[in-house]
Amino acid sequence: MHVNPGRIRAIRSGEARGPVIYWMSRDQRVNDNWALLYALEIARKLNESLAVVFCLTPRFLEAGTGDRSYRFMLDGLRELEQRLSSLGIAFMLAYGDPGDVIPDLIDDSGAGMLVADFSPLRISRTWKSMVADRVEIPFHEVDAHNIVPCWIASQKQEWSAHTFRLKLKKHLSEFMEEFPGPSPPPRPWRESVENRWPDPGTQKASGCRIRSGERAAAEQLERFITEGLERYASHRNDPARDAQSGLSPYLHLGQLSAQRVALNIMALGDYTEFLDELIVRRELSDNFCYHNEHYDSMEGMPEWARRTLEDHRNDRRDYIYSYDELEGAKTHDDLWNAAQLEMLIKGKMHGYLRMYWAKKILEWSESPEDALITAIRLNDRYELDGRDPNGYAGCGWSIGGLHDRPFKERPVFGKIRYMSYEGMRRKFDAREYINRISRMADQ
Ligand code: FAD
Ligand code: FO1
């Protein structure tokens, strides 16, 4: 079986000859990975070897090597090294800026073909164009993250989930195929590889309670299917109950394929609410970041939302909190503080509270611009699933009216959808949630 050519784009074309390198970044898994399958397909065609390279940078957006998110990622990469080795595929952990490291590695190894996975984020695109400028071998990119490749789903930025859903539906049956298993390449990598792993002792003790890696991801999916899926539609917006899938940290780092999740769940029945979040909402975020270079600033927000926020720029704010006060969960609002603490402790805030959390940052900041910067900074610093298109779309939706419509006008928010403390208390048992988080903080 061949990888659907619609998933593949040539960043640099040419005739491939020699060993193949898959530069892995966003899709950190062995199973159900179209980029790995494509690299294997080329290696077979050339009767050549394959190595997977991960280029570790000291910082990635708001995260740095000592942080919990790095620890989580590195735990998964260690498991990946073993899985690849059992398939006869070399794994190299390289250090430094990919724009330098990848071309040097290609020169040193005599590789004849480079394959990369896809991300719409600015940083990943910059890395790729730096690499493309320096290499002279064919360089192909595979969208192994989205079910419908981002460049096929839509050729423009979509303004609502509704219009995007209609476009995705046209392509879903073509791309929602079962994955073949990966098989060993025809030849082993010429040299044996000894990776130097960062010393876990130098990393901050992690308060992370979420296990990392492909195995943990598959187990979490199974657990959700047996224990959570049936009550997802009715309880997913209740932070006092544990009815979300818990899959986002794994999906973010590509330790789990969204297409695998969709295939397994679609085989069980009609779980529209879950599949709509997993497919439409998630892929809409990639559409946003891919087509809008200002995805992380107010400049990238819809015109109506910027106008209404401008009209209310000088409205009186009852509270204004500094970044440090927000980071330290030191506001007058016990529900907001609990949500912030959940993120600090667990690395994963409940999805329903993320909306409330970001909207209150708008209410308590000097300006919408400050609010968006603060929300993204905290989200990217502390969420295990942060630094992801979903985060930019989520903060944009809450603060900048992205993918949303105008609501009744009110102070500070203008026509941006508002959420209140009282409204949250009517929807779920806020006291129960706050107590649960304070017990977690005491542990
Ligand atoms: P489930 O409800 O079980 O959903 C399953 C999967 O569907 C998720 O893992 C995710 O991939 C996708 N999904 C669900 N809701 C959304 C959504 N609203 N938009 C896009 N995809 C969605 N998600 C992130 O992955 N990373 C982030 O950094 C992030 N930051 C957010 C910030 C704000 C302010 C808001 C409002 C939302 C944010 N989200 C983010 C979206 C959403 O809240 C999370 O994806 C979800 O809570 C993750 O938990 P789960 O996997 O248990 O979700
Ligand atoms: N990708 C890399 O290629 N190298 C890194 O060092 C790296 C660090 C990193 C840390 C936290 C995190 O959440 C993601 C990180 N990623 C890194 C990127 C990631 O796998 C995705 O490519 C992006 O999040 C784009 O969606």
Side-chain angles (χ1 to χ4, degrees):
M1 180 191 169
H2 293 292
V3 176
N4 187 322
R7 290 199 175 278
I8 305 152
R9 294 197 304 190
I11 295 179
R12 200 175 183 286
S13 32
E15 201 191 328
R17 54 169 83 98
V20 180
I21 287 185
Y22 165 22
W23 165 26
M24 178 183 276
S25 174
R26 196 187 191 193
D27 291 285
Q28 302 167 19
R29 64 183 179 280
V30 171
N31 290 323
D32 310 323
N33 182 340
W34 292 120
L36 178 64
L37 290 166
Y38 179 63
L40 279 166
E41 194 179 305
I42 309 268
R44 265 195 303 277
K45 208 157 73 190
L46 301 174
N47 195 29
E48 271 294 354
S49 56
L50 169 68
V52 172
V53 178
F54 187 87
C55 197
L56 193 66
T57 54
R59 286 209 68 77
F60 186 76
L61 301 165
E62 286 297 323
T65 27
D67 292 347
R68 175 174 55 193
S69 54
Y70 264 75
R71 173 67 176 270
F72 187 81
M73 183 176 78
L74 285 162
D75 284 351
L77 288 175
R78 277 204 173 257
E79 184 188 327
L80 182 103
E81 180 185 46
Q82 284 171 9
R83 282 177 182 255
L84 285 171
S85 143
S86 68
L87 281 169
I89 302 172
F91 176 75
M92 297 180 207
L93 183 68
Y95 288 82
D97 190 321
D100 297 323
V101 171
I102 299 291
D104 288 350
L105 214 129
I106 286 170
D107 287 346
D108 293 350
S109 64
M113 169 84 198
L114 178 64
V115 175
D117 44 38
F118 162 79
S119 161
L121 296 190
R122 212 177 293 119
I123 183 167
S124 312
R125 289 161 88 158
T126 308
W127 286 344
K128 279 192 194 130
S129 72
M130 285 168 71
V131 169
D133 285 347
R134 274 197 50 194
V135 300
E136 287 174 0
I137 58 172
F139 176 14
H140 292 184
E141 178 180 45
V142 182
D143 189 346
H145 214 78
N146 291 293
I147 300 173
V148 178
C150 189
W151 47 78
I152 287 187
S154 171
Q155 270 67 57
K156 65 176 184 69
Q157 182 186 341
E158 296 295 329
W159 290 100
S160 76
H162 175 66
T163 57
F164 189 58
R165 189 178 293 112
L166 297 175
K167 291 197 174 174
L168 271 189
K169 269 193 181 151
K170 286 197 215 145
H171 299 287
L172 263 184
S173 58
E174 179 187 349
F175 289 100
M176 188 68 85
E177 352 164 52
E178 192 41 80
F179 293 89
S183 50
R187 289 164 189 265
W189 194 250
R190 279 171 220 164
E191 292 146 31
S192 69
V193 181
E194 271 299 319
N195 285 315
R196 189 167 51 84
W197 288 89
D199 176 5
T202 63
Q203 292 168 359
K204 269 189 219 145
S206 122
C208 178
R209 293 144 200 246
I210 303 174
R211 281 191 309 127
S212 176
E214 229 174 310
R215 187 173 307 112
E219 285 170 12
Q220 181 62 28
L221 174 59
E222 272 316 298
R223 196 171 314 123
F224 173 61
I225 286 175
T226 49
E227 294 168 18
L229 185 57
E230 285 304 332
R231 56 197 191 103
Y232 182 82
S234 51
H235 293 317
R236 74 190 147 135
N237 284 342
D238 183 345
R241 302 175 199 233
D242 197 13
Q244 285 194 285
S245 69
L247 294 177
S248 59
Y250 306 112
L251 291 170
H252 162 62
L253 289 177
Q255 295 178 352
L256 178 67
S257 144
Q259 185 162 338
R260 163 58 53 217
V261 178
L263 284 166
N264 288 10
I265 288 186
M266 283 160 91
L268 298 171
D270 181 14
Y271 293 101
T272 315
E273 286 81 2
F274 179 76
L275 291 169
D276 204 61
E277 299 294 342
L278 177 80
I279 303 174
V280 181
R281 282 280 163 194
R282 198 181 45 77
E283 305 209 351
L284 181 62
S285 305
D286 261 39
N287 166 276
F288 169 56
C289 294
Y290 184 61
H291 290 286
N292 190 328
E293 60 177 317
H294 303 296
Y295 58 75
D296 50 357
S297 74
M298 283 307 291
E299 250 182 296
M301 298 301 131
E303 189 56 38
W304 69 264
R306 290 162 65 192
R307 211 173 320 118
T308 192
L309 287 168
E310 192 57 45
D311 291 345
H312 291 270
R313 183 174 292 282
N314 298 320
D315 290 359
R316 195 177 68 83
R317 274 89 171 140
D318 289 337
Y319 302 90
I320 290 188
Y321 291 111
S322 66
Y323 178 85
D324 289 348
E325 286 167 324
L326 293 168
E327 184 183 44
K330 297 208 172 357
T331 78
H332 65 283
D333 178 332
D334 54 0
L335 180 57
W336 194 95
N337 294 344
Q340 171 70 12
L341 277 178
E342 183 176 30
M343 177 170 76
L344 295 180
I345 298 167
K346 244 174 73 176
K348 187 171 181 295
M349 188 192 299
H350 190 278
Y352 192 57
L353 279 168
R354 292 191 197 201
M355 303 186 241
Y356 178 77
W357 172 86
K359 284 183 180 292
K360 291 295 147 189
I361 296 179
L362 172 61
E363 194 172 329
W364 303 332
S365 295
E366 303 250 14
S367 69
E369 290 77 15
D370 282 359
L372 190 58
I373 289 170
T374 300
I376 289 177
R377 200 169 149 202
L378 289 170
N379 195 77
D380 277 3
R381 176 89 212 271
Y382 292 110
E383 296 283 17
L384 284 174
D385 61 21
R387 305 153 298 281
D388 187 282
N390 282 347
Y392 306 115
C395 292
W397 180 90
S398 312
I399 294 171
L402 179 75
H403 303 144
D404 208 2
R405 63 176 175 84
F407 281 75
K408 190 168 166 290
E409 198 157 2
R410 51 173 300 127
V412 183
F413 281 72
K415 294 178 185 164
I416 302 288
R417 186 196 294 253
Y418 179 69
M419 286 171 90
S420 72
Y421 185 85
E422 295 69 32
M424 297 298 275
R425 288 194 52 178
R426 276 195 298 275
K427 286 227 159 63
F428 67 93
D429 188 345
R431 186 49 44 206
E432 168 60 28
Y433 171 76
I434 293 165
N435 289 341
R436 179 147 59 79
I437 301 300
S438 80
R439 282 195 300 274
M440 203 187 273
D442 289 342
Q443 274 170 25

